[in-house]
């Protein structure tokens, strides 16, 4: 496939320029999320929100307006808030890391009590949580928005301290600092002028499932720009044999990897690394274990809900395919066993939905259903599984992947072909989605 934009893509570029920056920002904000307005309900209930990431802050701001009499507590130890959708841009050298960092306190409403700590124990039978600072906090209602846990420890020899230390180890997931030095590690590999780069998917669900692909494609752009692409070997490992959950995009990526000379190793799972020797160890389904030498490796760890959820009655049963995640009804976001407990964001067990765009959609559903529940009414809103991934296919081009349950495509824009790469989507990712994210944090969309 050619990396040049098609006549259709160039036409859409003109369409975007005609719309102007303001309209282009407004379009994804409104089309992807719908109306943020909700009724006001009087209550004196105590609502505890576990986690001050995207979902937790969005709900704190929404409830601060729609529940004027409620007592609202949010629990999180992190002083910095991170715009994580920007981390791939940092690791690709497009953004500096400061662009992704703000202060948590800037987003929390003044009437919300912020407890600085992390929930270490959930006790829904007694309507309480235990916090790392030693407090036990009782609640009437609980919103679990604690995100997920990165399980780097499940990869033998892997330590996040190895990232960016000149040993070829990178990971866009570990932290914003790790994303920044992952760019440096890739640069060192390119400067060397040859060698193998290994890119991996984990054997679990993961947040921003497109990020491992984005890192591969942006690195390929950099290798091609070096003028020495043929001197580099690029391989991609897939534990499941699949690259993307939606069949069309799975086939697209497979074909693009073939066109760009990427070797695909299906049913390979990273189980260990030796950073000093620059060797990666893999288990292979129905085959012998394999060892690969590398100059660079992008490590994507297994992921699960945090231990506090896994050790609580809020998790799915052990015989469920979502046993490592919080249990909710995927359409209402309510826990089926504890109706005063709700979930939002990465912590929930669902077929997809671990993106910031998913949180935008979930926040409106959760607020509507929560307010109805407070009034003893049927839950009116249903989550359709919407998730969105601006899939970067090279520096300067991307595809807008939007889908719901059963991989049904849910495109939002008439002037964007969801099955074609475009500069338009790149601009949306690089310049426009961050303002929409901030509006979501404030509960405005």
């Amino acid at each position: 496939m050619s990396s040049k934009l098609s006549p259709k893509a160039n036409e859409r570029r003109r369409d975007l320029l005609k719309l102007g920056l303001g309209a282009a920002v407004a379009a994804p904000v409104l089309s992807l999320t719908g109306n943020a307005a909700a009724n006001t309900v009087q209550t004196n209930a105590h609502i505890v929100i576990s986690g001050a990431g995207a979902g937790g802050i969005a709900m704190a701001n929404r409830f601060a307006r729609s529940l004027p009499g409620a007592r609202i507590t949010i629990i999180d130890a992190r002083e910095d808030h991170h715009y994580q959708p920007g981390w791939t841009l940092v690791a690709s050298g497009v953004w500096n890391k400061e662009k992704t960092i703000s202060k948590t306190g800037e987003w929390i409403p003044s009437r919300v009590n912020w407890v600085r700590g992390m929930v270490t124990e959930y006790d829904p039978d007694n309507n309480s949580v235990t916090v790392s600072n030693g407090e036990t906090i009782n609640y009437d209602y609980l919103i679990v928005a604690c995100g997920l846990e990165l399980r780097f420890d499940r990869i033998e020899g892997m330590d996040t301290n190895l990232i960016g230390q000149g040993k070829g180890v990178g990971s866009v997931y570990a932290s914003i600092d790790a994303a920044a030095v992952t760019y440096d590690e890739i640069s060192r590999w390119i400067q060397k002028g040859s060698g193998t780069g290994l890119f991996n998917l984990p054997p679990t669900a993961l947040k921003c499932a497109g990020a491992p692909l984005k890192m591969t494609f942006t690195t390929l752009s950099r290798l091609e720009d070096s003028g020495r692409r043929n001197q580099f070997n690029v391989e991609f490992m897939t534990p499941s044999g699949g690259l993307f959950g939606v069949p069309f995009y799975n086939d697209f990526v497979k074909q693009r990897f073939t066109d760009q000379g990427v070797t695909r190793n299906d049913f390979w799972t990273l189980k260990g690394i030796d950073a000093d020797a620059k060797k990666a160890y893999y288990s292979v389904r129905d085959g012998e274990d394999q060892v690969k030498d590398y100059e660079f490796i992008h490590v994507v760890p297994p992921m699960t809900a945090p231990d506090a959820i896994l050790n609580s009655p809020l998790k799915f049963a052990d015989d469920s395919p979502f046993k490592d995640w919080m249990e909710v009804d995927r359409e209402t976001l309510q826990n089926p066993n504890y109706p005063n407990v709700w979930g939002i964001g990465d912590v929930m067990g669902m077929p997809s939905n671990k993106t910031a765009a998913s949180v935008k959609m979930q926040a409106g559903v959760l607020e509507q259903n929560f307010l109805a529940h407070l009034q003893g009414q049927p839950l009116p809103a249903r989550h359709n599984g919407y998730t969105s991934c601006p899939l970067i296919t090279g520096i300067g081009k991307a595809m807008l992947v939007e889908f719901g349950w059963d991989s049904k495509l849910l495109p939002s824009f008439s002037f964007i072909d969801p099955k074609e790469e475009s500069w338009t989507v790149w601009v949306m990712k690089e310049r426009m989605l961050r303002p929409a994210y901030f509006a979501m944090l404030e509960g405005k969309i």
Side-chain angles (χ1 to χ4, degrees):
M1 291 185 184
S2 171
S3 62
K4 295 181 179 179
L5 300 182
S6 69
K8 275 189 178 181
N10 281 317
E11 182 179 351
R12 286 195 299 277
R13 173 176 174 167
R14 291 192 295 273
D15 288 342
L16 182 61
L17 292 173
K18 288 176 185 176
L19 284 172
L21 182 61
V25 170
V29 168
L30 298 177
S31 296
L32 295 183
T33 60
N35 194 331
N39 295 325
T40 298
V41 175
Q42 288 292 333
T43 177
N44 59 3
H46 183 204
I47 302 165
V48 169
I49 302 171
S50 171
I57 289 177
M59 296 318 301
N61 277 288
R62 284 173 175 264
F63 288 156
R65 286 194 293 270
S66 60
L67 301 173
R71 183 160 61 99
I72 304 169
T73 299
I74 193 166
I75 304 170
D76 201 305
R78 295 168 294 185
E79 294 289 336
D80 288 337
H81 182 85
H82 293 274
Y83 175 62
Q84 293 188 40
W87 288 8
T88 51
L89 294 174
V90 172
S92 301
V94 178
W95 281 8
N96 62 54
K97 68 180 184 180
E98 285 73 22
K99 196 168 182 177
T100 70
I101 303 171
S102 58
K103 290 298 181 183
T104 300
E106 295 175 13
W107 304 108
I108 297 176
S110 58
R111 60 164 293 215
V112 172
N113 177 38
W114 178 15
V115 175
R116 287 165 170 80
M118 304 301 289
V119 174
T120 57
E121 183 180 352
Y122 294 89
D123 185 1
D125 292 311
N126 293 298
N127 296 323
S128 69
V129 295
T130 302
V131 185
S132 56
N133 64 7
E135 288 186 67
T136 296
I137 299 175
N138 296 311
Y139 60 80
D140 296 307
Y141 297 93
L142 174 67
I143 310 298
V144 181
C146 59
L148 52 69
E149 189 76 19
L150 302 173
R151 303 289 181 176
F152 283 101
D153 59 309
R154 295 187 181 180
I155 302 171
E156 186 177 353
M158 178 60 195
D159 187 319
T160 55
N161 291 325
L162 295 170
I163 299 170
Q165 298 303 308
K167 298 185 178 183
V169 180
S171 179
V172 74
Y173 283 93
S175 66
I176 185 55
D177 290 329
V181 295
T182 292
Y183 172 80
D184 296 335
E185 287 289 2
I186 296 170
S187 298
R188 279 190 279 269
W189 174 38
I190 295 172
Q191 289 166 6
K192 182 175 180 180
S194 63
T196 293
L198 304 177
F199 294 81
N200 301 270
L201 282 174
T204 64
L206 69 161
K207 64 180 176 180
C208 191
L213 301 176
K214 296 174 190 178
M215 288 309 305
T216 310
F217 282 129
T218 57
T219 301
L220 286 167
S221 286
R222 297 180 63 191
L223 294 175
E224 290 162 359
D225 289 346
S226 75
R228 305 186 305 273
R229 169 66 183 91
N230 292 337
Q231 296 174 225
F232 297 93
N233 176 44
V234 179
E235 302 191 26
F236 197 96
M237 281 62 175
T238 66
S240 69
L243 295 167
F244 204 96
V246 180
F248 172 82
Y249 298 103
N250 186 61
D251 293 341
F252 172 89
V253 174
K254 285 183 177 180
Q255 184 60 53
R256 177 53 62 85
F257 276 178
T258 298
D259 294 342
Q260 292 191 268
V262 176
T263 299
R264 201 175 73 247
N265 298 299
D266 291 338
F267 309 112
W268 286 42
T269 300
L270 181 64
K271 66 175 188 177
I273 66 169
D274 182 338
D276 291 328
K278 291 189 175 180
K279 292 181 181 294
Y281 300 87
Y282 292 90
S283 61
V284 181
R285 185 193 298 180
D286 301 325
E288 296 182 355
D289 289 356
Q290 298 291 324
V291 182
K292 285 279 186 180
D293 296 314
Y294 63 82
E295 282 300 322
F296 172 78
I297 184 170
H298 185 249
V299 179
V300 182
M303 303 180 198
T304 71
D307 287 338
I309 289 292
L310 298 183
N311 296 328
S312 81
L314 298 178
K315 71 180 288 289
F316 272 96
D318 288 340
D319 59 355
S320 166
F322 303 114
K323 64 183 179 64
D324 288 330
W325 304 96
M326 177 188 175
E327 184 174 9
V328 295
D329 180 293
R330 74 177 192 175
E331 294 185 342
T332 66
L333 310 185
Q334 185 179 40
N335 183 277
N337 303 311
Y338 300 93
N340 64 333
V341 178
W342 307 71
I344 186 170
D346 294 349
V347 69
M348 301 183 297
M350 292 187 177
S352 53
N353 273 251
K354 298 190 191 302
T355 70
S358 303
V359 172
K360 293 177 192 176
M361 183 65 72
Q362 292 161 8
V365 171
L366 175 53
E367 183 179 26
Q368 291 179 61
N369 286 341
F370 188 85
L371 267 60
H373 179 76
L374 283 179
Q375 300 172 86
Q377 299 173 355
L379 307 186
R382 293 293 180 270
H383 180 38
N384 65 357
Y386 177 85
T387 191
S388 175
C389 171
L391 179 59
I392 296 170
T393 55
I395 295 177
K397 57 185 178 178
M399 305 172 80
L400 185 56
V401 180
E402 299 175 276
F403 61 98
W405 305 134
D406 302 319
S407 300
K408 180 182 178 182
L409 297 187
L410 300 172
S412 299
F413 306 99
S414 60
F415 63 93
I416 293 177
D417 185 341
K419 294 185 176 181
E420 189 173 336
E421 299 163 281
S422 75
W423 174 86
T424 299
V425 180
W426 169 265
V427 171
M428 184 181 294
K429 166 69 176 175
E430 199 264 321
R431 300 182 187 177
M432 300 174 185
L433 293 186
R434 190 176 69 138
Y437 176 89
F438 290 156
M440 181 267 293
L441 289 185
E442 294 174 333
K444 295 178 178 178
I445 60 172

